[in-house]
Amino acid sequence: MFSDSDVNYMNLALSAAEDGGLYTSTPNPRVGCVLVKGGEVLSVGCHRYAGQKHAEIDCLDKLEKSHLFNSTLYITLEPCHHHGLTPPCINRIIEGGVSRVVISSLDPNPLVCGKSIEKLRSSKITTQIGLLSDKAIALNCGFFKRMLYGKPWIRLKMAFSLDGRTALSSGESQWITNEKSRKDAHHWRARSCGIITGIGTVLSDDPLMNIRHVETTRQTTLVILDSNLKIPISAKCISVPKRKIIVAHTLKNSVKQALLSEKSVSTVLCPEKDGHVDLKFLLEYLGKQEQMNEITVEAGTTLSSSFYHEECDELLCYVSSKILGHESRPLIKTTVEKLSDAKSFNLINSYKIGNDIRLIYHHQNCILQTYSKKWTDLVTQ
C-alpha cells in the first residue's frame, strides 16, 4: 500500500511536527507537512503556535501554485475542515492542485473527523490514510484524549531507587537520581500543558517547578492541589514570571483567594472527595476549560498514588542505581491481594542516563491503543 519512499517522507513530516511545535503548539495538535514532486522534497511545514499558520499552509505558502500540480502532500494529521482561529486547510489543498494526499491519522475533533477525507476524495484527489498512524497519535496523545474524552493525558513522573523507594524515612529525597536525569525531566515539563503538584511538596521543598533546562518560549502552567489554601504568598513557584498558576481547593477562603489573585494566581473551587480535591472534576475542568492536552504529575507519594488509582495513562520513571532499604518511603500506596489484580503497563521506551535508567510505560487501555483499534477500517482504506 505504501512504499519505502512514502515512509521516509512521512517520517520527515513527523520530525517537522515535533521540531516545530512540540513545546508550543498547545492547545492545538503538533502537525507536520511535506510536499514532494518527482521524488524531490519541495517544501516542509509545521504548526508552531495556536493562531498561526497550520502545517499545510506553512508548507504550501513556500511554493508557487505551479509547483503543486502532480505533487504528493504528506500530512501527519487530517487537515482541518472548519473555521477556527484560521481558515480550513482542506480548501487550500484542493484549490492548490495537489494530486495525491497521504495522511497519517484522522483528526479526533468531531468538527473534522473523516470530513476532510471525504472532501478530498470527492474532489478526485487520491487520498490514503494510516501511514505511521501509531507515531502520529503518540505525538499528540493528549490532544486525542482531550478530543475524545474531554480530559488531558496524565503522565505520572516518578524518580526512585533501585529497590523502588522515593525517599528515606526522614523524607530526604534530594537527590535520588543524577543531574542529567533531573535535566531530562524538564523536556517532559516543557511539552506538557500543565504540571500538577501537591501542597505538601510546595511546603516541604518550596520548589520553583518551572522549565530551566530546555529552550522554550512558554512556561508550563502549574496546578497546585491545596484543599485548604495553605500555600504561602512567598512561595518560590509564585514568583516565576510569565507562568500561569492554578490552585485547586475545596474550602472557600475569600481573603486568601484575594491575596493570591493579587499575585496573578487563579483559584478553582472543586468538590471534595475523601477529604481531598476531586481529581475527576479537576481533570475535566483542565481539559474543557483550560484546554490542556498533556499533564505531568510531579508530586509526593500520596498524590501520586491518587492519580495512579484515579487516572494514569503514562508512567515516566527515572530509576537510580541507589538502594535505600525497606524502611524508606514507597513509590505508590496500593494494595494488591492477587497478582492477577495488579495493573499492567506496556514498556514503550528505555534510555540509559549515566547510571540511571529512564523508563516509559503506557497503560494497556490508554487512548493510543483504543483509538487505533476504533478507526482500523477507515485507516486501511
Side-chain angles (χ1 to χ4, degrees):
M1 181 178 178
F2 295 110
S3 67
D4 289 343
S5 295
D6 288 330
V7 173
N8 291 335
Y9 296 138
M10 187 59 79
N11 269 320
L12 179 59
L14 287 165
S15 295
E18 185 168 352
D19 293 341
L22 184 64
Y23 300 151
T24 58
S25 67
T26 181
N28 291 352
R30 301 146 182 153
V31 184
C33 183
V34 172
L35 187 129
V36 178
K37 185 174 182 178
E40 180 183 357
V41 175
L42 299 185
S43 182
V44 178
C46 67
H47 179 55
R48 294 178 176 82
Y49 298 95
Q52 293 190 4
K53 292 179 182 179
H54 285 191
E56 301 91 326
I57 307 303
D58 184 45
C59 181
L60 297 178
D61 273 356
K62 298 172 183 177
L63 299 169
E64 297 292 334
K65 188 173 181 179
S66 59
H67 290 107
L68 306 184
F69 293 103
N70 295 319
S71 64
T72 298
L73 198 64
Y74 296 85
I75 318 170
T76 60
L77 190 70
E78 182 180 7
C80 63
H81 189 274
H82 62 295
H83 281 270
L85 295 176
T86 59
C89 295
I90 189 64
N91 296 341
R92 177 69 182 280
I93 294 171
I94 294 172
E95 293 166 2
V98 173
S99 60
R100 177 180 177 232
V101 177
V102 180
I103 298 168
S104 186
S105 173
L106 293 169
D107 189 330
N109 187 336
L111 295 174
V112 182
C113 193
K115 295 177 182 177
S116 290
I117 304 294
E118 294 177 4
K119 192 166 184 177
L120 285 168
R121 289 174 174 166
S122 65
S123 300
K124 309 303 180 183
I125 296 175
T126 301
T127 306
Q128 296 170 282
I129 57 177
L131 178 59
L132 303 181
S133 59
D134 288 348
K135 287 186 177 181
I137 295 171
L139 182 62
N140 286 302
C141 54
F143 178 77
F144 275 76
K145 185 179 177 186
R146 181 169 66 85
M147 285 293 110
L148 293 170
Y149 298 108
K151 295 184 289 185
W153 174 271
I154 300 302
R155 176 182 297 112
L156 182 55
K157 180 252 181 182
M158 299 180 288
F160 51 90
S161 63
L162 199 58
D163 54 342
R165 302 289 168 166
T166 61
L168 298 177
S169 57
S170 64
E172 181 184 351
S173 62
Q174 295 182 341
W175 298 102
I176 292 177
T177 56
N178 63 39
E179 184 178 358
K180 289 183 179 179
S181 291
R182 298 195 296 274
K183 288 183 177 180
D184 181 81
H186 284 243
H187 157 73
W188 302 95
R189 285 183 180 182
R191 67 171 285 166
S192 300
C193 303
I195 302 169
I196 287 183
T197 195
I199 185 60
T201 296
V202 174
L203 294 176
S204 61
D205 298 338
D206 196 18
L208 286 170
M209 296 295 288
N210 65 339
I211 301 165
R212 302 184 297 280
H213 302 295
V214 170
E215 289 188 12
T216 178
T217 57
R218 178 184 66 93
Q219 279 290 339
T220 300
T221 297
L222 177 62
V223 182
I224 303 169
L225 274 64
D226 180 10
S227 295
N228 299 319
L229 290 177
K230 293 181 179 179
I231 184 169
I233 300 300
S234 60
K236 288 181 181 178
C237 61
I238 293 179
S239 67
V240 176
K242 299 180 181 179
R243 195 258 297 273
K244 184 174 183 177
I245 296 180
I246 299 173
V247 177
H249 60 108
T250 59
L251 295 179
K252 292 182 179 180
N253 184 333
S254 57
V255 174
K256 188 62 172 288
Q257 287 174 257
L259 290 173
L260 290 171
S261 180
E262 290 177 2
K263 293 284 188 177
S264 300
V265 176
S266 302
T267 55
V268 178
L269 183 63
C270 303
E272 181 181 300
K273 183 178 180 181
D274 300 326
H276 302 286
V277 168
D278 186 328
L279 295 185
K280 181 180 179 181
F281 172 90
L282 178 63
L283 294 182
E284 289 179 352
Y285 172 86
L286 295 176
K288 295 175 182 177
Q289 301 300 318
E290 297 293 331
Q291 294 186 302
M292 290 190 180
N293 294 328
E294 296 179 30
I295 285 178
T296 297
V297 178
E298 298 190 34
T301 299
T302 299
L303 184 54
S304 294
S305 299
S306 297
F307 272 98
Y308 174 80
H309 292 293
E310 177 70 33
E311 189 100 15
C312 180
D313 301 293
E314 177 179 314
L315 299 177
L316 172 63
C317 305
Y318 292 91
V319 186
S320 81
S321 58
K322 298 180 177 69
I323 293 179
L324 302 187
H326 71 282
E327 292 185 352
S328 298
R329 296 184 180 183
L331 189 64
I332 295 292
K333 294 180 179 179
T334 187
T335 301
V336 179
E337 295 182 358
K338 299 179 181 178
L339 282 176
S340 58
D341 296 333
K343 284 188 179 182
S344 185
F345 292 79
N346 294 324
L347 178 63
I348 302 301
N349 178 268
S350 60
Y351 181 69
K352 187 175 182 293
I353 308 177
N355 283 332
D356 294 350
I357 300 175
R358 185 190 68 201
L359 302 171
I360 298 175
Y361 290 89
H362 286 170
H363 194 285
Q364 287 188 339
N365 296 322
C366 74
I367 188 61
L368 301 187
Q369 278 72 42
T370 57
Y371 187 80
S372 295
K373 294 175 183 176
K374 182 177 181 180
W375 296 108
T376 297
D377 293 340
L378 279 173
V379 165
T380 54
Q381 289 183 11

